[in-house]
Amino acid sequence: MIRKVLPWSRTVWVLSLSTLARSVGHGVVVTISVLYFTRSVGIAAGQVGLGLTLAAIAGMVASIPAGRLADVVGARGASVGYVLLQAVALWGYALVGGFGGFLLAASVVAVAESGSTAARGALVARAVPGTDRLRTRAYLRSVTNVGFSLGTVAGGLALDAGSRAVYTAELLAGGAVFVVAGVVLLALPALPPVPADRGGPRWAVLRDRPYVAVGLLNAVLITNSGILNVALPLWIAERTDAPTSVFAGLLLINTVLVVLGQVPVSRGAEDIKGGARAMRRSGLWLAACCVLFAFAAGRPSWVAVGVLALGVVVHTMGELLYSAGSWALSYELAPEHAHGQYQGLFGLTTQLGTAITPALTTLLIIGHGMAGWAVLAALLAAAGLAAPAVAGWAERTRPHPVTPVPADA
């Protein structure tokens, strides 16, 4: 039984340990950073929000160039370098004394995070055989959820203490965990870059309109994260009779289901057709969860709680299918020599969707109630239903079939 939940190869062990360390550090920083800057450093909340927004924009702008750098220098080296840069920038948080220093450090963190995401995507593409990439990404997502949960618990200890010394210690520890995440990756082979096609465009992904179209569908379907984390707690508090505290339990249901379900739900989505099918089903499941969440309004408290819990289960199924489909399409439609920049563009669309989701969901759902849920459901269903046609277009326009590079190349 234990063997079934452990990594199945040395490569996956290394990737898992690195991912665990990175997600623990991320959980710590996400939990404490905003309150650290507002309470301990004394930066106004509005300035913190502005700084994080500007940093996120910097991360999006850097996503494709940072990914291309991974193609040029090698995915393992770039992955290590980006994680170590993140660690240094997080340590820099402890030295921040005002808005300027905060903006600089936060921007470096965001750029390094974008680069790390693209480089790690390329690293999985190079270190793991093509038939096993999706399973590996699914397993790593489960590991990420476990690590992030541990990090948030550790960060919560600093929130209880509330002193700058404790905040600083947690930030330094979080940076140290990122160092561990980077050093562990050195146990993988160096994996030299795959030679690019001579005469091909340097920024091939920007000319690949079908792949960009797939990325735009990804930007729509990634709104599932904002539905759960932004729209749902506001909906519970303002439009239902369910106790607000139930949201914590709903998040726990989601986390447990993601940890247990990502690998089995991902089966069958290993190729382009399977990935497109998963994206289509994802859009329909996510549309259904919107209907359920809307139905909770105006119901007795116990009915509302039950409907919301069912809605979270349905949402999680859509979320798992979205992850599987997006990974499959992002890998299978990318040329072997350019996984970095292609993962960079996919990461950019993910960040774009994540950035607009809070405003979109607040405008639609809190502003228009059930009608807003209906619009969001229609948008998600349309994106899902469009996925097979768009993915088919992208598959037909690949210049030629590419033979995956073996993991030990």
Side-chain angles (χ1 to χ4, degrees):
M1 179 63 182
I2 295 179
R3 290 183 178 180
K4 291 182 179 180
V5 299
L6 293 177
W8 52 91
S9 70
R10 181 177 181 275
T11 296
V12 179
W13 264 109
V14 172
L15 291 170
S16 298
L17 292 174
S18 177
T19 297
L20 181 65
R22 182 169 175 255
S23 55
V24 167
H26 186 58
V28 169
V29 174
V30 167
T31 303
I32 69 173
S33 58
V34 171
L35 292 179
Y36 165 71
F37 289 121
T38 55
R39 293 181 178 178
S40 295
V41 181
I43 303 173
Q47 287 186 312
V48 171
L50 174 62
L52 291 176
T53 299
L54 294 175
I57 293 173
M60 285 190 278
V61 171
S63 188
I64 297 176
R68 186 176 184 278
L69 181 62
D71 294 327
V72 173
V73 305
R76 189 197 70 167
S79 296
V80 173
Y82 286 132
V83 174
L84 295 181
L85 178 61
Q86 238 179 319
V88 172
L90 290 175
W91 287 334
Y93 277 179
L95 304 176
V96 169
F99 177 73
F102 158 66
L103 179 60
L104 175 62
S107 297
V108 175
V109 167
V111 169
E113 175 71 20
S114 291
S116 180
T117 300
R120 278 174 173 264
L123 181 60
V124 171
R126 292 283 287 112
V128 178
T131 55
D132 216 16
R133 289 171 182 169
L134 184 63
R135 180 187 178 197
T136 301
R137 284 296 296 262
Y139 186 83
L140 294 180
R141 183 166 188 239
S142 296
V143 172
T144 296
N145 276 269
V146 172
F148 187 81
S149 298
L150 294 174
T152 56
V153 171
L157 301 176
L159 298 183
D160 290 335
S163 70
R164 178 158 187 166
V166 175
Y167 279 132
T168 302
E170 290 255 14
L171 286 172
L172 294 176
V177 174
F178 272 91
V179 172
V180 172
V183 172
V184 165
L185 292 177
L186 295 175
L188 295 175
L191 300 173
V194 179
D197 295 333
R198 290 185 178 181
R202 180 175 297 181
W203 302 100
V205 71
L206 297 178
R207 299 187 181 189
D208 194 340
R209 289 182 294 175
Y211 193 90
V212 172
V214 172
L216 292 176
L217 293 181
N218 174 68
V220 174
L221 292 173
I222 189 59
T223 57
N224 73 79
S225 63
I227 291 173
L228 186 67
N229 298 324
V230 179
L232 186 58
L234 292 173
W235 182 252
I236 292 171
E238 297 189 15
R239 298 296 187 95
T240 78
D241 291 326
T244 307
S245 59
V246 77
F247 179 64
L250 297 176
L251 281 183
L252 180 61
I253 291 173
N254 173 260
T255 300
V256 171
L257 291 178
V258 168
V259 171
L260 298 178
Q262 186 64 77
V263 173
V265 170
S266 299
R267 294 183 186 128
E270 291 83 4
D271 56 15
I272 294 174
K273 288 183 174 58
R277 187 165 54 245
M279 293 278 270
R280 182 191 65 205
R281 295 167 59 198
S282 169
L284 297 177
W285 279 91
L286 292 172
C289 89
C290 292
V291 174
L292 287 169
F293 290 150
F295 185 75
R299 311 296 167 186
S301 177
W302 67 273
V303 174
V305 170
V307 172
L308 291 169
L310 178 59
V312 166
V313 173
V314 172
H315 172 280
T316 305
M317 187 64 182
E319 178 185 350
L320 297 175
L321 287 165
Y322 155 74
S323 296
S326 63
W327 293 329
L329 296 183
S330 69
Y331 280 129
E332 297 304 314
L333 293 172
E336 290 297 324
H337 70 274
H339 271 293
Q341 62 173 286
Y342 272 69
Q343 290 296 314
L345 181 132
F346 225 77
L348 170 61
T349 61
T350 299
Q351 294 174 70
L352 178 62
T354 303
I356 65 175
T357 297
L360 177 66
T361 55
T362 302
L363 173 66
L364 287 176
I365 296 167
I366 305 306
H368 299 281
M370 290 192 176
W373 280 114
V375 171
L376 187 57
L379 182 64
L380 290 165
L385 292 171
V390 175
W393 174 37
E395 184 176 21
R396 291 191 301 272
T397 56
R398 298 306 87 185
H400 51 77
V402 180
T403 302
V405 177
D408 57 355

